[in-house]
Amino acid sequence: MTATVRTRVAIIGAGPAGLLLSHLLASSGIESVIVDRRTREEIESTIRAGILEQGTVELLDTLGEFSRARTVGHRHDGIELRFAGEGHRIDFPALVGRSVWLYPQHEVLKDLLAARIDAGQDIRFGVTADRVDDPTSDRPLVHATDAGGQPLVVEADFVVGADGSRGVAREAVSGSRSSGYFREYPFAWFGILCEAPPSAPELIYSNSPDGFALISQRSATVQRMYFQCDPGEDPDRFSEAELWDALQKRVPGTTLTEGPIFQRDILRFRSFVAGSILNGRVALVGDAAHTVPPTGAKGMNLAIADVVVLARALEALLVDGDERLLEAFPETALGRIWKAQHFSWWMTSMLHVAPDASDFDRMRQLGELRSVVESEAGSTYLAEAYTGWPLV
């Protein structure tokens, strides 16, 4: 027997985008059903770093008692660009009057899940979406399978794919899971977590002849660090001493606080934008629509921005019967998406050393970095993009 559920909006994916969308829709009186193949515990334990733009934090404030971004997260008023053995601080409040918050994505998920479950949100954990049918009709369908192997159909007025880069919604919108715009990068990040207090009060983005490094933090006692590596690198090949040597070489002029390394991994990345993000009554948001390199800290923030635009369009459509904002959704969302793609590409290319870089490339790169830190206009652009453009 196939069970059928009827709702106004079917959301595939209980990540930050899907959960926040259900919150915004509920505030407009629009019911939704969320399906996700993972359990709640698996979602909350998906460990990812998180730099939240100020607009994202202000939106999470609407969760009320469930929002911990300001109380548990750490406000950062700048970053340090380090190159040629010198550090240069980019002062966000002085340049653009905004800041960012260091708050890991899994903590954001805990807040959103707690808020939505408390509000009575229908979240179907352990339910795998198999396909989306009839996207151009006024009753698109999500065909799924529950944890017990039983078929489930969610019938909705609208379907939102917030199911990531490997989800099924992208095919219903773009015709393929892979069609779109790509850029591959010839390097990856070697990441570590270590037991040690922060090496610096704010994040350090370091360009060195040996490659890029990012010195970050997870808490008062745990540091998160990355250094540029080959995408095919074996994370178990290095001793702890070799890892600390690799990191220290990439931040000349700064002495890192060392401690026991308890996690290591390779983070591969690319730039991608789906060929289409709307087809009839099915839309894509977040990683289903785009991915960016982590250098610009845009990933989760860009997903949140998608959701803000789509939530307003769905309110106009489902409450007022006005399709104009939905028709404008691709153009509106893609305007910000491509700005974020450019910023992420720019930060990545400015700070990493390409495997085939010539002496000219290296000297030009240093000239670019100096153009940023020695110019108020250059520093302001970086601060404006890093802290986030205003949400539409």
Side-chain angles (χ1 to χ4, degrees):
M1 295 291 292
T2 299
T4 300
V5 177
R6 179 78 178 92
T7 187
R8 302 300 305 281
V9 179
I11 301 172
I12 308 174
L19 290 167
L20 183 63
L21 178 61
S22 72
H23 169 70
L24 296 178
L25 291 176
S27 68
S28 301
I30 301 171
E31 65 166 345
S32 61
V33 171
I34 303 174
V35 299
D36 196 293
R37 60 179 176 78
R38 300 166 294 176
T39 65
R40 179 178 180 179
E41 292 73 21
E42 288 171 334
I43 294 171
E44 293 182 338
S45 62
T46 303
I47 307 298
R48 289 187 182 177
I51 293 291
L52 305 186
E53 298 172 358
Q54 182 158 324
T56 298
V57 172
E58 290 169 353
L59 199 55
L60 292 174
D61 287 342
T62 64
L63 298 178
E65 62 179 301
F66 297 100
S67 178
R68 299 174 298 139
R70 293 185 190 269
T71 55
V72 177
H74 300 277
R75 173 177 165 168
H76 283 199
D77 290 333
I79 59 172
E80 179 181 300
L81 288 183
R82 176 161 286 275
F83 59 93
E86 298 177 345
H88 306 266
R89 184 171 186 264
I90 307 296
D91 188 327
F92 296 154
L95 292 164
V96 295
R98 297 197 298 275
S99 300
V100 296
W101 274 256
L102 181 70
Y103 192 55
Q105 179 171 312
H106 59 280
E107 299 295 344
V108 174
L109 284 167
K110 290 177 184 178
D111 295 350
L112 285 166
L113 281 167
R116 297 312 303 139
I117 290 172
D118 182 76
Q121 173 69 45
D122 188 346
I123 306 178
R124 308 291 177 102
F125 297 109
V127 174
T128 301
D130 300 315
R131 70 181 190 275
V132 178
D133 282 349
D134 304 325
T136 58
S137 75
D138 59 0
R139 290 288 188 274
L141 304 173
V142 177
H143 291 266
T145 306
D146 69 19
Q150 297 301 308
L152 171 70
V153 174
V154 183
E155 180 184 283
D157 297 326
F158 201 93
V159 173
V160 178
D163 49 346
S165 58
R166 295 182 176 86
V168 300
R170 186 186 289 173
E171 187 170 358
V173 174
S174 297
S176 166
R177 296 191 188 186
S178 60
S179 66
Y181 307 91
F182 296 87
R183 171 175 282 273
E184 299 287 347
Y185 295 89
F187 36 71
W189 283 5
F190 194 118
I192 69 161
L193 280 169
C194 70
E195 296 177 5
S199 295
E202 297 171 339
L203 274 63
I204 299 174
Y205 288 78
S206 182
N207 170 296
S208 81
D210 294 294
F212 168 76
L214 172 59
I215 309 305
S216 184
Q217 54 198 250
R218 181 62 56 80
S219 69
T221 58
V222 174
Q223 289 188 100
R224 181 62 159 160
M225 300 182 181
Y226 305 91
F227 64 88
Q228 177 183 338
C229 70
D230 185 275
E233 188 60 85
D234 178 3
D236 298 317
R237 184 170 71 87
F238 300 95
S239 67
E240 286 201 14
E242 289 173 325
L243 290 176
W244 283 116
D245 181 62
L247 281 160
Q248 187 63 74
K249 285 172 62 178
R250 286 164 172 76
V251 285
T254 293
T255 301
L256 300 178
T257 305
E258 299 184 9
I261 296 172
F262 63 88
Q263 182 178 310
R264 55 178 76 189
D265 50 28
I266 303 296
L267 176 62
R268 298 172 178 84
F269 49 85
R270 65 176 182 171
S271 298
F272 172 78
V273 179
S276 176
I277 61 173
L278 176 69
N279 180 23
R281 292 207 168 191
V282 182
L284 304 178
V285 294
D287 285 356
H290 47 72
T291 56
V292 292
T295 326
K298 287 283 145 273
M300 179 166 52
N301 295 293
L302 192 53
I304 297 303
D306 295 344
V307 164
V308 170
V309 176
L310 184 59
R312 293 176 181 174
L314 291 180
E315 180 182 4
L317 175 71
L318 301 177
V319 176
D320 303 323
D322 187 344
E323 298 183 355
R324 289 175 295 178
L325 288 181
L326 181 63
E327 293 170 352
F329 167 68
E331 181 178 0
T332 304
L334 285 166
R336 188 188 189 100
I337 289 168
W338 281 111
K339 284 171 64 176
Q341 287 287 0
H342 167 71
F343 177 68
S344 300
W345 166 85
W346 176 66
M347 287 281 284
T348 301
S349 62
M350 180 172 63
L351 290 164
H352 292 72
V353 178
D356 60 350
S358 66
D359 290 341
F360 174 87
D361 295 328
R362 177 67 186 146
M363 298 308 293
R364 184 214 58 78
Q365 193 177 57
L366 292 174
E368 183 176 17
L369 284 160
R370 294 199 182 282
S371 296
V372 172
V373 302
E374 295 175 2
S375 162
E376 183 175 345
S379 296
T380 299
Y381 167 69
L382 192 157
E384 178 186 56
Y386 196 95
T387 59
W389 303 284
L391 294 171
V392 177

